[in-house]
Amino acid sequence: MSQPPLKAQLVPSRDAVAEGALLARVDYGRETGIDPEDPSRVTVGLPPFGTEQASELLRTPQAVTRGEQDGIGFARSEDLLFARVFIADSQDMQQAAEQAYLRLLRFHTAMGYPALLRIWNFFDRLLEPAVDPTLDRYQAFCAGRQQALEALQIDGSALPAATAIGTATPGFLVYLLAAREPGIQIENPRQVSAYHYPPDYGPKSPTFARATLKPWPARTQLYISGTASIVGHASLHAGKPAAQMDEIINNLGALIDKVRNDHGLALHGPGDLSLLKVYVKREADLPAIRARLTARIGDHPAVLFLHGDVCRKELLVEIEGLYA
Ligand code: 3EB
């Protein structure tokens, strides 16, 4: 195999014409939703800054089959499965998360792709009170996700790299990538593993790995979770977007150093990642955040700035990265 089975590419939406096989297409725009005609096309309700709409194409050199089963949209190739669930009524986030995860976790295994590589979660009113008013909706989501894992007897540390970001419009969208053979879960030496967070942040901890490293025959890829200004388990630099960016770059750098030292991946720093997505809570912080990123990693050819909410009130920005 001369090419890895996954390639990710950012394009302006008007240029998003499939060339070769498209595993999935993720549009970023105003409203979260799915496409009744195409089970592996989703829209995430996070408006990009500076352009009406942007698209992320998950491409593969392999032949792709698409389908829909019990409301789960999917696309599969020889080596990869994309699967998504959209729950339009996201009022009860704990229940929505439990249901979505139960369905998706059973599905990817049944389809013959037992190794999760990456999960994305998007829903509205992230920090508003949940149905259980002692929780915010992100905490309710974490509780529902854990309930699904418990029901399936899956350990919290088994889930791969993830993103969980708040949208401005309703609906809960979760989609994942899974493979035949497992990747390697990577934790960040500067951060407490999310599944070991103390209960200060919610009664049920988040369940995701800081990154998933996936060796393919052609190349090893790295999928990095949404990374915030968290050191240990504490948020640092409340209210200071540029300082939070510095801390995030330090976190990404520490994770990449570890992957290079422990696994020999030839990646020197965050600037070498193929694609970066920057989730910005307040539009007013964008200039400071952009300037800090450029100061630290230079002008990067594939950075997408999206307007979205981050899961602790003091956190203003989060970055995810992909090396593919
Ligand atoms: C953090 O480090 C920031 O709940 O799936 C980042 C990525 C975060 C994924 C998730 C949460 C999640 O705790 C928040």
Side-chain angles (χ1 to χ4, degrees):
M1 190 201 290
S2 59
Q3 286 187 69
L6 179 68
K7 280 279 181 190
Q9 183 190 11
L10 290 175
V11 294
S13 285
R14 64 178 179 284
D15 297 340
V17 177
E19 128 201 332
L22 196 58
L23 186 72
R25 168 176 169 157
V26 182
D27 293 331
Y28 298 92
R30 230 179 50 76
E31 286 185 25
T32 302
I34 53 177
D35 185 338
E37 309 280 290
D38 182 344
S40 72
R41 180 172 175 175
V42 296
T43 302
V44 178
L46 299 175
F49 290 106
T51 161
E52 270 294 282
Q53 213 188 36
S55 300
E56 185 181 357
L57 304 181
L58 300 177
R59 293 184 182 287
T60 176
Q62 302 174 342
V64 174
T65 316
R66 276 166 240 286
E68 183 144 359
Q69 231 176 63
D70 306 322
I72 300 179
F74 68 91
R76 63 193 295 188
S77 72
E78 187 187 338
D79 290 331
L80 276 172
L81 174 73
F82 167 92
R84 62 96 179 118
V85 161
F86 177 62
I87 297 181
D89 177 3
S90 53
Q91 187 49 34
D92 186 336
M93 265 319 294
Q94 185 162 340
Q95 196 191 17
E98 183 186 15
Q99 288 311 312
Y101 272 80
L102 279 174
R103 289 164 62 191
L104 279 168
L105 294 171
R106 287 186 176 122
F107 179 76
H108 79 86
T109 322
M111 290 291 279
Y113 302 79
L116 289 169
L117 299 180
R118 188 68 173 83
I119 304 183
W120 287 266
N121 306 277
F122 301 99
F123 54 95
D124 56 306
R125 296 172 290 138
L126 196 70
L127 294 177
E128 287 181 26
V131 172
D132 169 354
T134 65
L135 304 182
D136 66 37
R137 286 167 51 83
Y138 172 69
Q139 294 169 325
F141 157 79
C142 287
R145 178 169 55 179
Q146 276 240 1
Q147 279 170 344
L149 294 179
E150 283 160 22
L152 299 173
Q153 297 181 293
I154 299 171
D155 192 78
S157 64
L159 288 192
T163 293
I165 291 290
T167 56
T169 52
F172 173 43
L173 175 69
V174 42
Y175 60 92
L176 60 78
L177 290 172
R180 306 283 190 185
E181 303 291 333
I184 302 162
Q185 311 292 46
I186 306 289
E187 290 303 305
N188 191 318
R190 300 183 89 230
Q191 297 184 303
V192 171
S193 295
Y195 44 83
H196 290 148
Y197 281 171
D200 320 30
Y201 305 101
K204 296 281 188 178
S205 22
T207 45
F208 64 94
R210 296 302 179 182
T212 302
L213 184 71
K214 175 61 179 169
W216 299 104
R219 179 191 309 191
T220 295
Q221 299 189 328
L222 181 66
Y223 316 114
I224 305 180
S225 285
T227 303
S229 177
I230 294 175
V231 176
H233 55 71
S235 309
L236 296 192
H237 319 296
K240 296 182 178 153
Q244 290 193 15
M245 277 303 277
D246 269 325
E247 210 63 69
I248 291 172
I249 307 288
N250 294 344
N251 283 342
L252 294 172
L255 183 115
I256 289 169
D257 286 349
K258 179 171 151 174
V259 173
R260 186 180 58 251
N261 294 331
D262 294 357
H263 303 278
L265 191 68
L267 197 59
H268 299 285
D272 291 340
L273 293 168
S274 324
L275 193 153
L276 293 164
K277 271 179 270 171
V278 185
Y279 301 99
V280 177
K281 184 175 276 184
R282 310 184 299 208
E283 181 157 19
D285 294 335
L286 181 64
I289 285 170
R290 196 196 293 272
R292 220 43 229 143
L293 185 67
T294 307
R296 291 292 299 271
I297 72 164
D299 272 319
H300 191 285
V303 184
L304 182 58
F305 291 90
L306 298 166
H307 195 181
D309 208 356
V310 184
C311 66
R312 295 183 191 176
K313 73 173 182 338
E314 66 278 9
L315 294 176
L316 302 173
V317 53
E318 192 171 300
I319 302 185
E320 70 174 60
L322 178 75
Y323 177 67

